[in-house]
Amino acid sequence: MTDLLFRGGRAFLAAGAFAEAVLVRDGRIAAAGAESDVVRLAGPGCETVDLGGGLLIPGVTDAHMHPVQAGLERAKCDLSHVYGLDEYVAKVHDYAAAHPDHEWIDGGGWDMSAFPGGLPHRSQLDSVDRPVYLIQRDHHAAWVNTRALEIAGITRDTPDPADGRIERDADGTPSGVLHEGAMDLVGLLTPRPTEQDLTDALMDAQQHLFSLGVTGWQDAIVGSYAGSDDQLPTYVAAAAAGRLKARVVGALWWDRTRGAEQIPDLIERRKSAEGLETFRATSVKIMQDGITENFTAAVIEPYCRCGGTGLSYVDPELLKGYVAELDRHGFQVHFHAIGERAVREALDSFEGTDPATRHERRHHIAHLQIIEPSDVPRFARLGVTANLQPLWATHHAQMDELTIPFLGEERSAWQYPFADLLRAGTRFCAGSDWPVSNADPVQGMHVAVNRTEPGTSVHATYPTAQTPFLPGQSLDLATALTAYTAGSAWINHDDEAGVIAAGNRADLVVLDRDPFTEPAQDIWRAKVAMTFVGGEQVYQAG
């Protein structure tokens, strides 16, 4: 491979350190430092990459996302780029007209905040001539029409599943919203994607992520969940064929209807990916609760106005034994925890693991919307990494109308306490939860620093979108960028990535500007100009 010399701007190495130039040789970082020193090391025929005053950063590793599901949704009825009932219904009708051969109309991306109380209704989709199944943006609910309910046999007499809820009209008739585990009552009846569909979705997602500077990720659910099929064979095949160029860890889904008896199955699933260069199935995903907007997030004190304390999907006492056994078998544990009770239950479960193996496994808790203040120091003490999804830490309709009024003033102030965690010595990684939210890490960094909506957001014009949300919890840009690069690469046990240093793999991203030299409120404007994986260019802005 020809040497590559990156010059004409700055390079962010790690933790706030910069260099003038970077040399890449044979897919690895050969040198980084003063331009005059690096240029002298360049070999004959070296190719110069002009940064044009922009910033070279390590390739981003997204620590929590769902790319195969995102790719499938991009190919279906994708509502993520429009907002509001009229636009959603128009999009559904347009999709139905364009696909007259489809037995079902399925897709997703609708936003709860577009509806009074966060709840659409089946009747709003009954003008469509086929059954409709649309997953909510957060993937914790589905919106269906009356025809879909009829096919599934869901009536006022259908009981709620243990891990979900059927939303109902005043007379008990299902209204058309299925929460959490209730999604499967309809979702599993929709047409199954073929293996080619899944492969195409993964390849589409990979190229989209390269365009955003994401060169690796942790897929946060590899298994069957919420009507989606198991993606493990897709990843294994793509990696074996050399088509998966990004470095990926699959977090195997913990089936919350089963207990420790599933661990041998997880071990066998992990073995199926052994020996692959770009994919490993070494993590296990446990979803401990739901979300605040539908009151399934597990909280300590009841929700205001409506009561209830949410759902703990895994019995907290049993959870401790499961986590200890997963740790003993060499698995990293990747938790979903939104409410303060779920966060506490996840932290409690790590108390029973061996401190030595905790460090080796690199366990982490994602989302962390609400943390009771006394639990903040426990992350560092237990060696548990905080997996941040910064895009959610703003004033937007879901926050102001569907969350804060039901959490109350004190608990609302415990949300997304990034600065408190940092001061307590917590290690960070970061991700997007795509397709739940935008996969662009620059947008996430903007929110981590500003705690306001980035200009590209559909919520950017919401009345309080540019009012910082709990600004005392803001991070500086170097810390946010390090979380997305070094922090998330570390979580994936990818110790040759995330930092621009001699010997590391040349996963690199060129930004079209240097956000460190511009006003913080303009961070979101930075765009990816080029992306390299192992020194090979995989994206060029056009």
Side-chain angles (χ1 to χ4, degrees):
M1 296 177 68
T2 303
D3 286 4
L4 296 176
L5 175 64
F6 294 85
R7 62 195 298 189
R10 292 200 301 172
F12 178 89
L13 305 183
F18 294 86
E20 293 178 344
V22 172
L23 180 66
V24 171
R25 177 172 295 145
D26 296 328
R28 298 270 169 181
I29 307 297
E35 184 170 336
S36 57
D37 295 335
V38 174
V39 167
R40 285 197 296 269
L41 299 174
C46 177
E47 179 182 339
T48 295
V49 179
D50 184 2
L51 299 178
L55 182 69
L56 182 71
I57 64 172
V60 168
T61 299
D62 189 304
H64 184 108
M65 60 170 19
H66 312 277
V68 178
Q69 186 63 32
L72 288 172
E73 288 185 14
R74 282 160 59 89
K76 295 182 180 181
C77 185
D78 184 4
L79 305 180
S80 63
H81 301 293
V82 297
Y83 183 79
L85 174 61
D86 290 344
E87 292 195 54
Y88 292 154
V89 173
K91 187 81 170 178
V92 170
H93 277 281
D94 288 346
Y95 183 86
H99 299 86
D101 57 327
H102 285 200
E103 183 182 352
W104 283 70
I105 304 301
D106 59 339
W110 58 274
D111 196 313
M112 291 180 72
S113 64
F115 302 94
L119 298 172
H121 197 269
R122 57 185 163 77
S123 61
Q124 295 159 335
L125 295 172
D126 282 348
S127 56
V128 183
D129 61 355
R130 279 160 277 172
V132 180
Y133 177 82
L134 301 170
I135 298 173
Q136 177 216 3
R137 180 178 63 86
D138 287 349
H139 281 223
H140 288 270
W143 176 21
V144 301
N145 64 358
T146 301
R147 181 67 185 128
L149 292 170
E150 290 171 348
I151 290 172
I154 300 173
T155 69
R156 69 180 65 193
D157 298 321
T158 303
D160 290 341
D163 61 347
R165 186 174 77 248
I166 300 169
E167 201 68 46
R168 301 174 192 270
D169 293 335
D171 64 357
T173 303
S175 69
V177 175
L178 306 172
H179 297 287
E180 305 294 343
M183 297 167 66
D184 280 348
L185 299 176
V186 173
L188 293 177
L189 302 178
T190 61
R192 298 295 85 200
T194 65
E195 185 55 46
Q196 188 61 52
D197 291 336
L198 293 168
T199 299
D200 290 346
L202 175 57
M203 292 299 101
D204 174 67
Q206 178 175 249
Q207 195 54 44
H208 178 67
L209 292 169
F210 285 162
S211 77
L212 300 174
V214 177
T215 57
W217 61 81
Q218 185 159 149
D219 190 315
I221 298 179
V222 174
S224 299
Y225 166 73
S228 65
D229 291 343
D230 182 17
Q231 311 95 326
L232 182 60
T234 304
Y235 273 116
V236 169
R243 299 187 68 192
L244 183 67
K245 297 180 181 296
R247 292 303 203 276
V248 179
V249 167
L252 302 174
W253 176 242
W254 179 269
D255 183 347
R256 55 204 186 205
T257 67
R258 303 172 67 195
E261 74 276 6
Q262 68 186 286
I263 293 178
D265 296 339
L266 295 171
I267 292 171
E268 288 303 310
R269 285 166 63 74
R270 178 174 61 185
K271 286 180 181 178
S272 72
E274 287 180 354
L276 298 173
E277 182 180 0
T278 58
F279 179 75
R280 291 174 295 115
T282 50
S283 188
V284 171
K285 166 68 173 298
I286 300 177
M287 184 178 289
Q288 186 58 10
D289 69 343
I291 58 173
T292 57
E293 294 86 353
N294 66 9
F295 316 122
T296 56
V299 295
I300 296 172
E301 297 296 328
Y303 287 97
C304 304
R305 302 188 186 181
C306 64
T309 56
L311 300 173
S312 292
Y313 290 135
V314 183
D315 182 296
E317 290 306 312
L318 295 175
L319 183 65
K320 295 173 184 178
Y322 300 158
V323 168
E325 189 168 352
L326 288 168
D327 181 273
R328 283 195 298 272
H329 283 287
F331 281 108
Q332 175 190 83
V333 179
H334 178 163
F335 267 106
H336 162 119
I338 292 281
E340 73 273 18
R341 190 179 84 236
V343 173
R344 179 169 293 175
E345 290 165 354
L347 290 169
D348 288 348
S349 75
F350 290 124
E351 294 277 4
T353 57
D354 185 325
T357 57
R358 276 204 304 264
H359 179 75
E360 293 172 12
R361 307 295 180 251
R362 307 183 187 183
H363 303 305
H364 50 128
I365 306 176
H367 308 325
L368 302 167
Q369 180 170 348
I370 313 167
I371 307 178
E372 203 279 328
S374 67
D375 285 323
V376 168
R378 299 178 68 197
F379 284 82
R381 180 171 65 79
L382 290 168
V384 175
T385 299
N387 188 333
L388 311 180
Q389 281 66 61
L391 271 175
W392 305 345
T394 69
H395 282 290
H396 50 270
Q398 257 183 241
M399 175 61 72
D400 288 1
E401 299 170 21
L402 300 178
T403 302
I404 290 175
F406 300 94
L407 293 182
E409 183 176 352
E410 180 183 30
R411 189 163 45 192
S412 292
W414 299 345
Q415 294 187 87
Y416 306 113
F418 302 161
D420 286 349
L421 288 164
L422 182 65
R423 285 189 288 266
T426 307
R427 184 187 286 268
F428 286 160
C429 63
S432 63
D433 207 7
W434 185 55
V436 170
S437 45
N438 193 328
D440 187 347
V442 172
Q443 308 300 302
M445 294 175 212
H446 175 96
V447 175
V449 173
N450 294 283
R451 308 281 287 205
T452 59
E453 286 287 313
T456 54
S457 166
V458 295
H459 298 291
T461 59
Y462 182 72
T464 56
Q466 302 310 318
T467 300
F469 176 70
L470 302 175
Q473 298 297 343
S474 296
L475 300 176
D476 64 273
L477 179 56
T479 297
L481 178 52
T482 299
Y484 276 97
T485 52
S488 294
W490 185 85
I491 276 295
N492 268 9
H493 289 81
D494 190 357
D495 296 330
E496 297 182 342
V499 175
I500 298 177
N504 277 359
R505 197 171 60 250
D507 293 352
L508 300 168
V509 176
V510 179
L511 298 181
D512 65 358
R513 65 194 69 204
D514 184 345
F516 287 95
T517 65
E518 299 188 356
Q521 62 266 28
D522 290 334
I523 291 172
W524 67 272
R525 297 183 183 277
K527 300 292 185 292
V528 171
M530 288 177 274
T531 302
F532 297 81
V533 172
E536 175 191 353
Q537 187 168 354
V538 293
Y539 173 73
Q540 168 78 57

